[in-house]
Amino acid sequence: MNNIKLPADDNSCGWFEILSPEYQQHMSEPNPISGVEKTDWLVIGGGFVGMSATHRLAELNPEQRIVLVDAQKIGHGTSGRNSGFVIDLPHKSDLVGDDIERKRKVIELNRAAIQYLEDKIMRHGIECQWSHAGKLQGAVSERGVKFLEHFQRLLKELGEPHEMLDQASLRKVVGTQYYQQALYTPGCPLMQPAALIRGLLAHVPENVSVWEETPILNLERRNGTWVAQTANGQVHAKNVILGTNIYTEQFGHMKSRMLPIMTFASMTRPLTDEEFSAYGGTADWGLTPADHAGTTLRMTQDRRLVVRNQYRFVPNYNSDLATREKIHVMHRESLEARYPMLKAVTFEHTWGGVLSLSSNSQAFFGELEPGLFSSCCHNGVGVARGTISGKLLAEMASGGDSKLQQNMQAVSGMPARLPPEPFLGIGVRARMAFAKWQSRSEV
Ligand SMILES: Cc1cc2nc3c(=O)[nH]c(=O)nc-3n(C[C@H](O)[C@H](O)[C@H](O)COP(=O)(O)OP(=O)(O)OC[C@H]3O[C@@H](n4cnc5c(N)ncnc54)[C@H](O)[C@@H]3O)c2cc1C
């Protein structure tokens, strides 16, 4: 594992930057790892998978030691830079298809994740704008309306509550006539992702030691013990949970099976009272696009607008400043098209985040090698799915079994192998350009 690629996310994630100073500070052991640290459990990666695995391992094994490491500050990775929808209903490819039982399992798993997060938020008083606002899915053009009608039919089949809002009723909520209609589903909480993940970090149980900004440079099994190499030391662990999503391939697993795709978001400053009344909608809602190449929008509880769109294929897992500057301009256009009355409201932050997609829409959950567990490739909806898979991985690795765990195994699989470069890059870029062109009316 030479020349391992490490995460290097940009420093401009709005959710992280608006955290209170005490939440931004290190919540880590005071000294870097040096020499050998021995532990029962090592969790690599403090996103939703790694964080919920850490909490659950500590709950199940109070007499054992758990070490959590992340290459960056926890919350600086994708789990702290997403759009904050804790999605309950199956998404995209999980929703189509005839297997109703599979869809019900996905819903049950996602709802178990929501419950797990909510219990922790309530117990520890984590302030992360958690709300039961639900999710709007908005259609701009006829193409989008057709997607919504299809989605509505599928929801009826599942017996899931929903409401179709016309342009006028939607405008009262989102303050714009840009959308023809939207499908509202009530079961998706919204939250501030960096505040949630750092809040969970602040409340890890006492048998957990955390090292932030501590990249693992090599991981191998020697005489039945996992040895993780850091810059100045090693962690020797009986068991390891990889919560490293796309970076899992850097540890020699899932190679050429996950597509590294970056998507981007921009956040405004809070609207003033005057701007808020000119906007004319309400606070605290979230809207995802009817067609996935469209735009996600949030109005936060503190009256900031957040716009997310655009995708890039990123084999090095990051983006440069020039790309983000171009995207900032595109986000500006998306915002002004919806809110011409808010021309004076600037974006304070524009950032990217990398996620992993599989060509067969499968997410992996399970044991990779003896004592090495992973769940990755959640196809862009890893807040709920990542949370529940981290929790269930911890239960499985601790010897537990449950109906929910069996359901997780039933809905998980192996991401399909991807073609080699240069065919992969050419194919993915062409496909993304085509999807963008097809849904140009929805952006
Ligand atoms: C802009 C954007 C919007 C999104 N919106 C949503 C949404 O609204 N709802 C939703 O469900 N999903 C959304 N997603 C996707 C979601 O954020 C991800 O699926 C999810 O956060 C993945 O969580 P994870 O724990 O698997 O991985 P990650 O959050 O990627 O965590 C992996 C961690 O591993 C660490 N790591 C990697 N390599 C090493 C190493 N060598 N040593 C130590 N640590 C290492 C990284 O620093 C990182 O913190 C969005 C993503 C983006 C980018």
Side-chain angles (χ1 to χ4, degrees), residues 4-7 9 44-50 69-87 214-217 243-247 251 262-265 308 351-355 375-386:
I4 179 173
K5 282 190 210 162
L6 292 172
D9 285 297
I44 307 177
F48 282 104
V49 170
V69 293
D70 198 295
Q72 312 185 95
K73 263 193 183 172
I74 287 173
H76 197 65
T78 303
S79 288
R81 51 182 63 223
N82 56 67
S83 300
F85 293 78
V86 194
I87 288 169
T214 302
I216 297 299
L217 305 173
T244 43
N245 202 15
I246 188 71
Y247 303 94
F251 293 97
M262 185 164 274
T263 184
F264 299 83
R308 186 218 53 84
W351 66 96
V354 65
L355 38 92
S375 180
C376 56
C377 204
H378 300 117
N379 291 293
V381 287
V383 174
R385 183 73 177 255

Side-chain angles (χ1 to χ4, degrees), residues 7-207:
D9 285 297
D10 60 62
N11 280 320
S12 45
C13 173
W15 299 116
F16 198 92
E17 296 304 310
I18 63 172
L19 289 175
S20 62
E22 79 265 21
Y23 254 42
Q24 286 186 12
Q25 276 161 24
H26 270 105
M27 296 188 203
S28 204
E29 299 291 319
N31 298 311
I33 292 173
S34 60
V36 172
E37 288 284 336
K38 292 196 171 160
T39 183
D40 299 288
W41 302 91
L42 170 64
V43 179
I44 307 177
F48 282 104
V49 170
M51 188 57 70
S52 54
T54 300
H55 272 265
R56 192 64 182 144
L57 283 173
E59 286 160 8
L60 292 172
N61 306 288
E63 306 304 322
Q64 297 184 4
R65 184 179 188 212
I66 293 109
V67 167
L68 168 64
V69 293
D70 198 295
Q72 312 185 95
K73 263 193 183 172
I74 287 173
H76 197 65
T78 303
S79 288
R81 51 182 63 223
N82 56 67
S83 300
F85 293 78
V86 194
I87 288 169
D88 59 332
L89 295 168
H91 215 55
K92 297 172 195 163
S93 51
D94 266 339
L95 192 67
V96 289
D98 299 329
D99 192 345
I100 282 248
E101 279 318 302
R102 184 178 195 283
K103 293 179 200 178
R104 293 220 162 96
K105 284 178 184 149
V106 172
I107 296 173
E108 193 187 352
L109 286 160
N110 289 342
R111 290 196 172 139
I114 290 168
Q115 194 57 54
Y116 190 61
L117 287 173
E118 185 157 292
D119 287 349
K120 297 233 169 290
I121 290 164
M122 296 306 151
R123 183 164 353 130
H124 301 300
I126 297 172
E127 288 184 16
C128 62
Q129 299 193 24
W130 180 264
S131 99
H132 286 279
K135 178 163 82 74
L136 295 158
Q137 202 174 354
V140 181
S141 67
E142 278 311 306
R143 177 181 164 84
V145 170
K146 287 208 172 68
F147 277 110
L148 289 192
E149 286 166 356
H150 179 221
F151 191 35
Q152 187 178 31
R153 282 198 299 279
L154 296 170
L155 291 177
K156 279 185 182 154
E157 268 170 39
L158 286 164
E160 286 293 331
H162 61 273
E163 187 185 347
M164 196 66 97
L165 299 182
D166 64 15
Q167 192 176 38
S169 339
L170 184 60
R171 186 183 186 282
K172 288 187 192 140
V173 181
V174 301
T176 173
Q177 304 208 83
Y178 193 75
Y179 295 93
Q180 285 195 33
Q181 62 187 61
L183 188 58
Y184 175 74
T185 48
C188 169
L190 300 178
M191 49 82 184
Q192 203 287 38
L196 174 53
I197 204 87
R198 291 214 52 91
L200 291 169
L201 172 63
H203 295 282
V204 290
E206 281 186 354
N207 52 335

Side-chain angles (χ1 to χ4, degrees), residues 133-394:
K135 178 163 82 74
L136 295 158
Q137 202 174 354
V140 181
S141 67
E142 278 311 306
R143 177 181 164 84
V145 170
K146 287 208 172 68
F147 277 110
L148 289 192
E149 286 166 356
H150 179 221
F151 191 35
Q152 187 178 31
R153 282 198 299 279
L154 296 170
L155 291 177
K156 279 185 182 154
E157 268 170 39
L158 286 164
E160 286 293 331
H162 61 273
E163 187 185 347
M164 196 66 97
L165 299 182
D166 64 15
Q167 192 176 38
S169 339
L170 184 60
R171 186 183 186 282
K172 288 187 192 140
V173 181
V174 301
T176 173
Q177 304 208 83
Y178 193 75
Y179 295 93
Q180 285 195 33
Q181 62 187 61
L183 188 58
Y184 175 74
T185 48
C188 169
L190 300 178
M191 49 82 184
Q192 203 287 38
L196 174 53
I197 204 87
R198 291 214 52 91
L200 291 169
L201 172 63
H203 295 282
V204 290
E206 281 186 354
N207 52 335
V208 177
S209 309
V210 180
W211 274 276
E212 298 186 86
E213 297 184 294
T214 302
I216 297 299
L217 305 173
N218 190 40
L219 179 69
E220 60 189 17
R221 196 165 150 93
R222 290 189 209 147
N223 304 323
T225 298
W226 284 100
V227 178
Q229 186 69 46
T230 66
N232 301 310
Q234 291 180 341
V235 185
H236 290 193
K238 291 182 195 144
N239 295 287
V240 176
I241 291 193
L242 283 178
T244 43
N245 202 15
I246 188 71
Y247 303 94
T248 305
E249 59 188 8
Q250 297 299 317
F251 293 97
H253 294 280
M254 300 291 145
K255 274 183 121 45
S256 305
R257 292 183 184 274
M258 297 187 286
L259 270 178
I261 299 293
M262 185 164 274
T263 184
F264 299 83
S266 293
M267 177 187 277
T268 68
R269 60 171 171 75
L271 303 193
T272 61
D273 287 348
E274 206 175 300
E275 286 161 350
F276 195 72
S277 65
Y279 142 83
T282 62
D284 197 18
W285 51 261
L287 181 148
T288 60
D291 182 357
H292 65 265
T295 298
T296 300
L297 263 186
R298 284 269 315 262
M299 169 60 91
T300 63
Q301 290 176 3
D302 60 346
R303 300 175 173 185
R304 293 170 189 267
L305 280 158
V306 184
V307 172
R308 186 218 53 84
N309 59 37
Q310 306 300 322
Y311 293 95
R312 297 287 183 275
F313 176 54
V314 286
N316 288 324
Y317 315 134
N318 50 37
S319 64
D320 57 19
L321 183 60
T323 303
R324 290 196 301 280
E325 281 173 355
K326 274 191 209 146
I327 285 178
H328 178 104
V329 172
M330 294 179 196
H331 284 172
R332 189 76 238 155
E333 285 165 6
S334 300
L335 188 73
E336 285 184 19
R338 288 159 175 82
Y339 301 106
M341 67 296 237
L342 298 181
K343 275 201 166 58
V345 180
T346 50
F347 283 126
E348 286 185 333
H349 310 278
T350 296
W351 66 96
V354 65
L355 38 92
S356 55
L357 305 181
S358 59
S359 63
N360 59 352
S361 306
Q362 291 288 349
F364 179 80
F365 171 90
E367 192 168 10
L368 294 163
E369 287 184 51
L372 179 64
F373 302 85
S374 160
S375 180
C376 56
C377 204
H378 300 117
N379 291 293
V381 287
V383 174
R385 183 73 177 255
T387 297
I388 194 62
S389 62
K391 175 177 182 277
L392 294 172
L393 261 190

